[in-house]
Amino acid sequence: MVETVLRGGVIGLGIGKSHAKGYRTSPDVELVAVCDTNEERLQTLAAEWDVPVRYTDYKRMLEETPLDMVSICLPNALHAEATLAALKAGMHVVCEKPMAPTVAEARQMLDAARRLNRRLMIAYNFRYRPDTQWMKNMVQSGALGTVFQAQVSWRRETGIPGSGWFGEKGLSGGGALIDLGVHVIDLALWMMGFPDVTTVSGDTRMLFGQRNLKTWGRHPGDRARDSFDVEDGAVGFIRLANGAHMLAQATWAEHTQPQQDDIRVELQGTEGTAVLHIRNYRNDDTLRFYTEMQGEPVTVIPSPRFGGPQGHEALIHDLARCIKHDLPTPTDGAQGLAAIRVLEALYESARVGHEIALEPERV
Ligand SMILES: NC(=O)c1ccc[n+]([C@@H]2O[C@H](COP(=O)([O-])OP(=O)(O)OC[C@H]3O[C@@H](n4cnc5c(N)ncnc54)[C@H](O)[C@@H]3O)[C@@H](O)[C@H]2O)c1
């Protein structure tokens, strides 16, 4: 067990702000260094948080600042190089989702973490909610019987991110699927205990982003984007080695209920069906369990308690605690890689127009 408070850092201060909150409220780690290429954002936030060590160049920060753990919150294409640099500098890493745009990069990250005996956690913040944890426990307890189908989706009416890099394949690796789909695919795999994936079939579409429609924060008269070359919607069929399958859908934009931002994970089992439905990030009324009792259909409405730290704040607390007490790494790189393998194969399937088979993964 490590006795002292750990030293933490955050690279990239967009969603990195939520990581910073975790470092600032954890009893096991403190925030001592932050980095962002946007000098104004860097100085404003670092001053607000009273963080003394500030960099605009993350490589220099990693070389010059001794840290125990660091969060990588950069555009997707930078995840691998920044993670590798942090691991080589001897730090444990929390990397934002998606782990990396390609399987090759994700494997490199995982291999490096293992070789260097450092922890690599992927920031799947939705696992740190009482409703997703309840649903996972239901599946693992056998209450659903044998799960034979997962249906997962994240669908937005107007939700193409305003930040330029999300729409540029070279920086993002993809659109709605890699941005939103990765969360719900991960949730279903996690709840089901990471069954092997045998084949996937996917389709993607690019209908709104190129026309500068349905972008968050768009104002009348804004000029069109310089480039938008990723999908704004995708569907997938994922066959699992245990005989079950998953239907997946992710959209940044579609014509539907105005302002809808809708996350759904439905697991159907032989004894019951569990549904997680998060509407517009609200925490109320997110769960249903459908089963039968005495031959009649029964609907259970669980009311999980949303108290205390959740999401990013909780995941930073969790990793720091696990480092200090020498416990296994939560949401480790191998689980991050599992989702990237599915995504890469879905994109490939969409490109070539047929199903793609996956080899069993060495982990
Ligand atoms: N888990 C979640 O719910 C969640 C939510 C949002 C974003 N994300 C992920 O977090 C990552 C960042 O997304 P975001 O929404 O914060 O993007 P963003 O564009 O809002 O913020 C990225 C920040 O990184 C800075 N930056 C860019 N290149 C840099 C570099 N080379 N060195 C230092 N700083 C640099 C930018 O100035 C910016 O402040 C992405 O991988 C995204 O998928 C995850």
Side-chain angles (χ1 to χ4, degrees), residues 26 30 35-36 49 61 65 95 108 129 131 164 171 178-179 199 201-202 210 212 215 260 282 288 313 317 319 337 350:
S26 165
E30 63 179 334
C35 171
D36 200 293
W49 302 330
M61 179 176 120
T65 317
C95 179
Q108 238 190 322
R129 294 172 54 101
D131 47 10
L171 289 171
I178 200 167
D179 183 39
T199 66
S201 190
Q210 278 187 326
N212 202 28
T215 301
Q260 169 179 280
R282 293 207 329 257
R288 289 288 183 280
E313 185 181 11
H317 290 196
L319 182 62
L337 173 60

Side-chain angles (χ1 to χ4, degrees), residues 11-16 35-38 41 56 58 72-76 78-79 96-98 123 125-126 163 165-166 179 183 312:
I11 300 174
L13 301 176
I15 193 66
C35 171
D36 200 293
T37 42
N38 182 326
R41 182 179 289 190
T56 51
Y58 78 79
I72 308 296
C73 307
L74 297 172
N76 304 343
L78 297 173
H79 287 188
E96 259 303 340
K97 54 49 65 174
N125 49 305
F126 284 94
S163 174
W165 69 266
F166 277 94
D179 183 39
H183 275 295
H312 286 95

Side-chain angles (χ1 to χ4, degrees), residues 51-111:
V51 177
V53 184
R54 306 167 187 183
Y55 281 89
T56 51
D57 178 342
Y58 78 79
K59 289 180 185 149
R60 277 192 56 210
M61 179 176 120
L62 295 173
E63 280 163 20
E64 295 174 4
T65 317
L67 297 172
D68 297 295
M69 62 185 273
V70 67
S71 288
I72 308 296
C73 307
L74 297 172
N76 304 343
L78 297 173
H79 287 188
E81 68 168 55
T83 296
L84 292 172
L87 292 169
K88 280 182 193 148
M91 297 161 197
H92 302 291
V93 172
V94 183
C95 179
E96 259 303 340
K97 54 49 65 174
M99 184 171 177
T102 64
V103 170
E105 288 168 289
R107 279 219 179 92
Q108 238 190 322
M109 294 158 73
L110 182 58
D111 288 347

Side-chain angles (χ1 to χ4, degrees), residues 19-26 29-31 48-51 317:
H19 290 243
K21 185 174 181 196
Y23 288 95
R24 294 171 62 237
T25 56
S26 165
V29 63
E30 63 179 334
L31 184 60
E48 184 185 319
W49 302 330
D50 198 18
V51 177
H317 290 196

